[in-house]
Amino acid sequence: MATIQNVTDDTFEEVVLKSKLPVLVDFWAEWCAPCKMIAPVLEQIAEEQEGKLTVVKINADQNPDTVRQYGVMGLPTLNLYKNGEVVKQLVGAKPKRVIEKELEEFL
């Protein structure tokens, strides 16, 4: 069973940018209701795409450097990184089928 790892400003480069697999990063915060709504969806995607995609979370309030570096303005924001570059960005809570459709060309 895939688990969603938490990353920080300090671990972001190693875990996300240097990953051999595409990485879906969930920028979230404790106070963000839509973030809580999509959390179970992201867990399902992590499990279903295990071996093809890594899913991680980064708390936007606790990691302002990474948030600023990638210009994250709203939460939740999902950035898909491939070979260290952002190849797709989704802002706001989306249904699972929409997220999967947006990711499919990169998996």
Side-chain angles (χ1 to χ4, degrees):
M1 184 168 138
T3 56
I4 296 179
Q5 181 179 350
N6 286 299
V7 295
T8 64
D9 285 342
D10 294 334
T11 62
F12 191 86
E13 181 178 357
E14 190 63 38
V15 174
V16 177
L17 302 181
K18 293 182 178 177
S19 175
K20 294 185 182 350
L21 293 175
V23 182
L24 184 64
V25 178
D26 174 22
F27 290 85
W28 71 285
E30 285 288 337
W31 50 264
C32 171
C35 298
K36 292 176 183 165
M37 285 173 36
I38 68 164
V41 169
L42 296 177
E43 289 173 15
Q44 289 175 356
I45 290 171
E47 197 168 310
E48 291 166 6
Q49 299 298 329
E50 189 171 15
K52 292 189 263 181
L53 174 73
T54 302
V55 180
V56 301
K57 298 172 80 80
I58 185 165
N59 186 310
D61 290 338
Q62 296 172 359
N63 299 282
D65 295 343
T66 303
V67 170
R68 199 170 22 257
Q69 181 177 353
Y70 290 99
V72 173
M73 303 297 278
L75 298 176
T77 291
L78 302 176
N79 278 359
L80 181 65
Y81 294 79
K82 193 166 185 178
N83 300 320
E85 298 290 325
V86 178
V87 293
K88 181 65 85 174
Q89 183 178 70
L90 301 168
V91 179
K94 306 270 190 253
K96 182 180 178 203
R97 61 179 163 52
V98 172
I99 296 170
E100 288 174 330
K101 180 134 185 69
E102 293 290 337
L103 298 178
E104 70 184 0
E105 70 181 283
F106 301 102
L107 301 179

